[in-house]
Amino acid sequence: MNDKNVKKEITKLKKLFKGIEDEDRKTLVNSVIEEAAFLKVALTQAKEELKSEGLTAETKNASQRFIKAHPSTAIYEKYARQYTQIINQLIEYLPPKEKKEVSKLAALRDE
């Protein structure tokens, strides 16, 4: 995960909220956007790991071998839940004219 991808995601989300005029609300939304951007990049990374390494991992314990869920599965599941909650929260803060763009924000949630 790198800062460049997080900043790119922040920029993409901030475009949807540029119509917010209240400074307190804008500050709140920006902090939520930063969290959403981080989670999105982390989700993408976990997804790529799962695609390349598979959903399961083999673990050795002395002479025994176990197959268990890949560690990225738990990360992906947890972050996906948090990301969906944050995006739903952001939708509530959309300025009135951007409400029409909810489908774009919902599309980000569903990626």
Side-chain angles (χ1 to χ4, degrees):
M1 179 167 10
N2 63 39
D3 286 340
K4 181 180 177 185
N5 291 342
V6 174
K7 287 179 184 177
K8 183 178 175 183
E9 192 65 31
I10 288 171
T11 302
K12 189 161 69 169
L13 287 171
K14 279 187 176 182
K15 285 180 185 177
L16 294 171
F17 295 90
K18 63 184 175 195
I20 296 177
E21 295 176 10
D22 181 277
E23 286 302 315
D24 292 333
R25 181 173 272 213
K26 189 181 284 190
T27 301
L28 175 67
V29 167
N30 285 339
S31 67
V32 175
I33 284 173
E34 288 176 17
E35 278 300 307
F38 172 81
L39 288 170
K40 174 71 176 191
V41 173
L43 275 169
T44 303
Q45 180 180 340
K47 188 182 214 177
E48 291 303 315
E49 285 179 18
L50 290 171
K51 283 181 179 178
S52 67
E53 298 174 21
L55 295 174
T56 57
E58 188 175 300
T59 305
K60 293 180 183 179
N61 184 5
S63 63
Q64 297 176 329
R65 290 182 178 195
F66 299 98
I67 304 253
K68 64 178 190 171
H70 192 283
S72 291
T73 10
I75 292 169
Y76 186 84
E77 181 183 351
K78 180 181 177 182
Y79 283 5
R81 203 173 308 116
Q82 289 176 328
Y83 181 73
T84 301
Q85 289 172 344
I86 286 177
I87 291 299
N88 287 334
Q89 186 179 15
L90 282 173
I91 288 170
E92 296 300 317
Y93 287 110
L94 276 172
K97 79 174 198 176
E98 275 79 13
K99 289 274 187 195
K100 296 173 189 171
E101 307 228 0
V102 168
S103 60
K104 287 183 182 178
L105 197 54
L108 285 174
R109 175 187 61 212
D110 299 333
E111 281 184 359

